[in-house]
Amino acid sequence: MLHPVPTLKETPSQTAGPYVHIGLTPNFAEIKGVYATDPGSTMLTPDTKGERIVVSGKIVDGSGAMVNDALVELWQADADGAYVAPMSPNSNSTPAFTGWGRQPTNAEGVFSFETIKPGPVPGPDGKPMAPHVVLWIVARGINIGLQTRLYFEDEAEANASDFVLNKIMDPRRRATLIARKEPGAVPRYLLDIHLQGDNETVFFDV
Amino acid sequence: MVDELSASSEGSFISRDRAWHPPAYTQAYKSSTLRSPRNALLSLGQTASELTGPAFGHSLLGELDNNLIRNFSREGIDAIGQRLIIHGQVLDENARPVAGTLVECWQANAGGRYRHKREGYLAPLDPNFGGCGRTITDANGYYSFRTIKPGGYPWANGGNDWRPAHIHFSIFGHAFAQRLITQMYFEGDPMVWQCPIVGGIPDMAAIDQLIARLDRHNTVPMDALAYRFDIVLRGRRSTLFENKLEGN
């Protein structure tokens, strides 16, 4: 036998519900004084290397309504294309960039992360993947977290050869993952997430 | 120990059994109707972006972060309700402990009222109960919280739907592919089997995995009842080396 049969089943997922903010962003939920800050609310320190950007978008349901009670987590590499080591045993140090952020959507269904543009990460095919961030979305009505990626429209050449984008057969669907750039002192990359319908975002089973 | 935990020495994660989890669209849970994708998920061979994940040091934690009886208390007054210890082990599917991972939880108070501006249920807030907690598993994957038993509460789904008493859990694991949010229920609660959110899980054995067991052994006499809730995250496949086909 090459791989032993797993002995346990994964704990099944359940929706995060409408009050997810109580547990995951309590200060945003106006529960003050328990945690100094909401985890993941700030991704940058003055020491973080890389180009400052904003990653932002709306979350839209199958009727076109804004999803104003979602929670989004973002996971990305640093400017050199490296992920922070997953387990730094017993480390109490705070690295200049952890690569992880967590933001609720606001009353208009908009999430927004102040971060840096990630560098290219090696892909399984031996080539670098195009710069991207991973997004994980939970909310009332979402029974199991939805995972997707955000790519950058000004990386067209890298996007064209990206390992993951090329798994999406329909080029119209590939476009659902490419964020539009709004230039400025701090460039903004905008991508709306459509949970269902004509412009439905590509979600992954990772 | 360090090698055992390091991501680079291991292979991909065992595929998620999506027939074990609730599907995206579960008719009886009405909010899922417009919030479930209609297209199939695209299967992705895991890359570095899925095989890594954030790590949290113990410096994140305050002294009372895992004590919901006290962490919102105004003048040292305990939250009202049945005092509980909720504890368990985080394991992966290969039954290996998941050490050093962040576990977060949130819940309603003893009357079923959440401290959230969008919540309008007429049961009152408890001035000494916030409802959030967090901890990091120890070297053997164990975690524990002190809290009060949440009440069930009504919600606008069916005409007379009530959630069973539950505590929401969020667990990171060691990679973003292991990220999980779920809900814990209490042994013997008849409302578990009437709930459309629970009922979205197709398999009774999977539902049973979300039910914490009364744990008399860890109950503290004259203080707090204990419930045991173990959590299983996805396991990893061993890396197959050419010279060691059996894996490791």
Side-chain angles (χ1 to χ4, degrees):
Chain A
M1 183 161 61
L2 293 177
H3 288 287
V5 176
T7 50
L8 300 172
K9 292 293 284 183
E10 189 186 9
T11 297
S13 174
Q14 291 271 268
T15 179
Y19 309 127
V20 56
H21 317 101
I22 292 173
L24 302 192
T25 54
N27 290 288
F28 172 81
E30 295 169 15
I31 297 173
K32 308 282 188 189
V34 183
Y35 309 152
T37 57
D38 288 337
S41 56
T42 310
M43 296 181 68
L44 301 177
T45 73
D47 297 332
T48 309
K49 283 195 329 182
E51 182 196 1
R52 266 59 178 166
I53 64 169
V54 172
V55 164
S56 179
K58 285 194 293 257
I59 302 186
V60 185
D61 78 7
S63 73
M66 303 309 156
V67 177
N68 61 10
D69 55 6
L71 187 92
V72 184
E73 290 188 6
L74 180 153
W75 176 237
Q76 67 164 90
D78 66 15
D80 299 325
Y83 285 99
V84 172
M87 285 296 290
S88 322
N90 307 318
S91 169
N92 277 334
S93 66
T94 307
F97 186 65
T98 63
W100 177 77
R102 173 187 278 170
Q103 294 289 342
T105 55
N106 66 15
E108 284 75 48
V110 175
F111 62 88
S112 188
F113 293 88
E114 291 178 24
T115 183
I116 52 161
K117 196 160 180 200
V121 174
D125 57 355
K127 290 188 298 190
M129 293 187 279
H132 64 276
V133 303
V134 176
L135 299 175
W136 187 72
I137 299 153
V138 294
R140 169 177 69 89
I142 296 178
N143 287 319
I144 180 165
L146 293 168
Q147 190 152 326
T148 187
R149 287 185 175 200
L150 178 148
Y151 288 84
F152 302 90
E153 76 167 353
D154 55 353
E155 300 283 347
E157 196 182 328
N159 292 342
S161 66
D162 180 76
F163 173 80
V164 169
L165 287 175
N166 279 296
K167 284 188 166 238
I168 306 168
M169 292 304 156
D170 182 345
R172 291 169 301 181
R173 298 214 69 211
R174 215 174 292 167
T176 68
L177 304 187
I178 311 230
R180 182 165 53 82
K181 183 177 187 179
E182 223 175 59
V186 177
R188 299 174 69 84
Y189 290 91
L190 303 171
L191 183 71
D192 292 346
I193 308 286
H194 293 265
L195 299 181
Q196 183 189 94
D198 288 344
N199 297 313
E200 189 171 298
T201 299
V202 175
F203 297 105
F204 298 110
D205 188 6
V206 298
Chain B
M1 192 64 178
V2 173
D3 280 342
E4 204 177 307
L5 295 173
S6 91
S8 57
S9 65
E10 299 183 68
S12 59
F13 284 91
I14 297 164
S15 299
R16 221 163 218 160
D17 180 354
R18 289 189 180 262
W20 185 255
H21 290 280
Y25 172 54
T26 47
Q27 186 179 31
Y29 175 28
K30 293 179 181 177
S31 297
S32 72
T33 307
L34 290 170
R35 293 182 170 199
S36 44
R38 289 289 176 265
N39 286 283
L41 299 179
L42 182 70
S43 291
L44 192 63
Q46 292 151 16
T47 75
S49 306
E50 291 76 36
L51 296 171
T52 57
F56 300 90
H58 288 269
S59 59
L60 178 75
L61 304 178
E63 199 187 338
L64 293 174
D65 280 9
N66 69 342
N67 184 348
L68 287 75
I69 295 177
R70 275 293 178 92
N71 70 13
F72 193 74
S73 145
R74 287 308 174 209
E75 284 158 4
I77 301 169
D78 286 357
I80 292 169
Q82 189 180 69
R83 298 161 68 84
L84 300 179
I85 293 164
I86 306 289
H87 75 113
Q89 192 179 20
V90 182
L91 300 157
D92 71 13
E93 289 167 289
N94 300 314
R96 293 165 64 184
V98 180
T101 192
L102 183 64
V103 179
E104 298 164 288
C105 74
W106 68 100
Q107 64 169 88
N109 71 20
R113 174 71 185 266
Y114 282 98
R115 187 174 283 280
H116 194 285
K117 57 191 165 189
R118 292 205 188 103
E119 159 72 281
Y121 181 36
L122 47 79
L125 288 169
D126 176 347
N128 296 303
F129 187 74
C132 61
R134 61 183 176 184
T135 188
I136 291 178
T137 57
D138 71 13
N140 295 311
Y142 287 99
Y143 74 90
S144 71
F145 292 102
R146 267 189 177 258
T147 188
I148 49 94
K149 188 172 182 186
Y153 74 92
W155 58 303
N157 185 64
N160 187 19
D161 279 344
W162 291 69
R163 295 300 326 280
H166 64 278
I167 300 177
H168 297 263
F169 272 79
S170 161
I171 313 100
F172 278 83
H174 293 161
F176 220 50
Q178 287 180 304
R179 193 78 182 83
L180 183 72
I181 281 182
T182 188
Q183 300 183 28
M184 185 210 93
Y185 304 99
F186 290 87
E187 182 175 17
D189 184 346
M191 296 206 298
V192 169
W193 307 99
Q194 301 167 17
C195 174
I197 289 178
V198 177
I201 299 172
D203 192 317
M204 298 267 281
I207 294 173
D208 193 57
Q209 221 178 331
L210 297 182
I211 299 177
R213 296 310 198 259
L214 178 64
D215 175 5
R216 290 295 296 262
H217 181 71
N218 282 295
T219 290
V220 181
M222 309 306 286
D223 177 359
L225 277 175
Y227 279 83
R228 169 95 185 209
F229 181 54
D230 291 344
I231 297 165
V232 181
L233 302 180
R234 294 170 70 181
R236 299 188 86 147
R237 296 162 58 85
S238 305
T239 305
L240 291 174
F241 296 103
E242 273 185 276
N243 60 353
K244 197 186 168 194
L245 266 179
E246 73 277 19
N248 55 15

